[in-house]
Amino acid sequence: MAQEAVTAAEAPRFRQLSDKDRELLRKGLCAKCTADEFELFAETCNKTGLDPFMRQIYPVFRPDRKQNRDVMQIQVSIDGMRLVAERSGHYAGQVGPFWCGKDGAWKDVWLSDKEFPVAAKVGVMRHDFNEVLWAAARFQSYVQTTYERRPNQMWNKFPDVMIAKCAEALALRKAFPMELSGLYSTEEMSQADNAEPSTGKVNVSPNTAPKAETPAPAKPEPAAQEAPQPAEDRKSAPPQEADDHTVLSRTLMNLLVSEQGLGFKKSEIAPFIVRVVGRSNFKALGELSLEELSRCVEVARDELSARSVA
């Protein structure tokens, strides 16, 4: 009897990744992971019980200047966080979300098309808590922007939804620190891909957003073009600009070719860039200006977001 009790205590709480699951992940979502990164991701899946095949948890790769490579970060969807809270047995629902403008008055629905909400808040309830646990998120702190420091397509089109998800993720993590410690949602971490300007804040006024001009489609080149490679050294550019160019180049390539991105083949990269910037021909990303690279990154993110919504 005692042996059975010990065995039950040692049994994993959730279904563990099988060898087949690990093989599929290694070839798909985790193709860019190092051996250590893959083991970390697999162990996180096993401990949280979140399903990577249901997009509840997934690896994201961002350029790290110190390590001079793309480094894995683990992110979870807001649905994954809700699932963890529900499985705890202490989750008793939510209050909100609520949004406020510059006047600080909280509203249960955001109806303005002329300005973005300044903040959102969500309250989480637990059966063993006496009061609601609130968390608030400021739009300025979480909005994902283009290189011109303006909200990207998703944040411009769904500002109330995006900032409400950030507030909900904050509240869930505060209410369930044991289960969600160190796990951040996609909406919270989208700002990590923002370019780093020298000065200035995000322009969050919809009325001042520039109208993007759609470039005329370029005629496809008859000969296949080599896939452009990120320019590691731009001798003619100032140090900071060259650094920004390298980061943007790596971000663009990650968005275009990775499994978590658009999954382009090498032969599809050049036509995409030609379509976006309107150039008839080019050989390397180093020929593009920061503005052109930023435009490519923005369009790639928008297409990836549209694909996710669809």
Side-chain angles (χ1 to χ4, degrees):
M1 192 71 177
Q3 182 63 33
E4 292 180 358
V6 172
T7 303
E10 293 177 349
R13 182 180 178 187
F14 305 110
R15 170 187 173 273
Q16 306 293 283
L17 294 175
S18 66
D19 291 339
K20 183 178 180 181
D21 292 336
R22 292 170 63 90
E23 182 180 355
L24 287 173
L25 288 173
R26 212 55 175 108
K27 295 178 179 179
L29 282 176
C30 301
K32 291 183 62 177
C33 292
T34 64
D36 289 340
E37 287 174 340
F38 177 73
E39 292 301 326
L40 174 62
F41 179 74
E43 185 65 19
T44 303
C45 293
N46 289 335
K47 286 194 172 182
T48 61
L50 295 179
D51 190 341
F53 301 105
M54 296 295 291
R55 301 292 291 177
Q56 295 169 355
I57 185 170
Y58 38 85
V60 174
F61 301 88
R62 293 190 172 90
D64 187 298
R65 292 179 180 177
K66 292 182 178 179
Q67 300 189 40
N68 197 30
R69 68 179 182 89
D70 290 343
V71 176
M72 182 197 75
Q73 296 177 354
I74 299 175
Q75 289 181 190
V76 295
S77 67
I78 192 66
D79 290 331
M81 300 184 83
R82 293 165 180 162
L83 177 60
V84 170
E86 177 65 26
R87 284 174 173 171
S88 71
H90 298 291
Y91 184 58
Q94 297 183 8
V95 181
F98 300 100
W99 297 267
C100 75
K102 295 180 180 179
D103 58 0
W106 292 101
K107 303 175 177 63
D108 57 4
V109 61
W110 188 257
L111 298 175
S112 176
D113 293 327
K114 296 182 179 180
E115 62 178 356
F116 295 124
V118 172
K121 70 176 181 178
V122 171
V124 170
M125 298 179 289
R126 286 180 54 135
H127 293 299
D128 53 348
F129 278 17
N130 294 326
E131 297 183 1
V132 178
L133 193 154
W134 292 94
R138 293 177 60 245
F139 190 87
Q140 183 81 35
S141 299
Y142 289 97
V143 59
Q144 184 176 11
T145 62
T146 64
Y147 193 80
E148 290 79 16
R149 302 294 290 161
R150 300 184 186 280
N152 73 351
Q153 184 182 38
M154 288 297 291
W155 281 85
N156 188 65
K157 189 175 182 180
F158 308 108
D160 52 337
V161 175
M162 300 298 282
I163 194 60
K165 286 183 178 181
C166 293
E168 182 180 355
L170 282 170
L172 287 170
R173 196 164 46 251
K174 289 174 68 176
F176 299 93
M178 175 69 75
E179 297 86 350
L180 292 172
S181 176
L183 297 178
Y184 294 86
S185 70
T186 304
E187 292 75 23
E188 289 178 285
M189 294 304 298
S190 60
Q191 44 75 32
D193 292 322
N194 291 346
E196 299 179 3
S198 55
T199 57
K201 291 187 176 182
V202 178
N203 185 344
V204 294
S205 173
N207 295 330
T208 61
K211 302 296 182 181
E213 297 182 1
T214 304
K219 295 182 179 180
E221 294 291 328
Q225 294 178 335
E226 292 279 337
Q229 299 298 322
E232 296 293 337
D233 184 20
R234 289 167 53 84
K235 296 181 180 179
S236 60
Q240 182 59 46
E241 182 178 341
D243 213 19
D244 290 341
H245 195 283
T246 300
V247 172
L248 276 175
S249 297
R250 290 175 177 169
T251 300
L252 176 60
M253 293 298 289
N254 186 49
L255 284 168
L256 294 181
V257 304
S258 70
E259 290 287 340
Q260 298 78 30
L262 295 171
F264 280 3
K265 298 178 180 178
K266 289 185 177 181
S267 60
E268 297 175 310
I269 298 175
F272 169 84
I273 296 175
V274 168
R275 169 167 60 87
V276 173
V277 303
R279 291 196 181 198
S280 60
N281 191 15
F282 72 99
K283 296 180 180 179
L285 294 182
E287 299 177 4
L288 300 179
S289 66
L290 286 176
E291 290 73 21
E292 288 174 326
L293 264 180
S294 174
R295 175 62 180 161
C296 289
V297 170
E298 179 184 355
V299 172
R301 284 173 176 165
D302 290 344
E303 292 186 5
L304 182 59
S305 298
R307 183 182 296 182
S308 301
V309 172

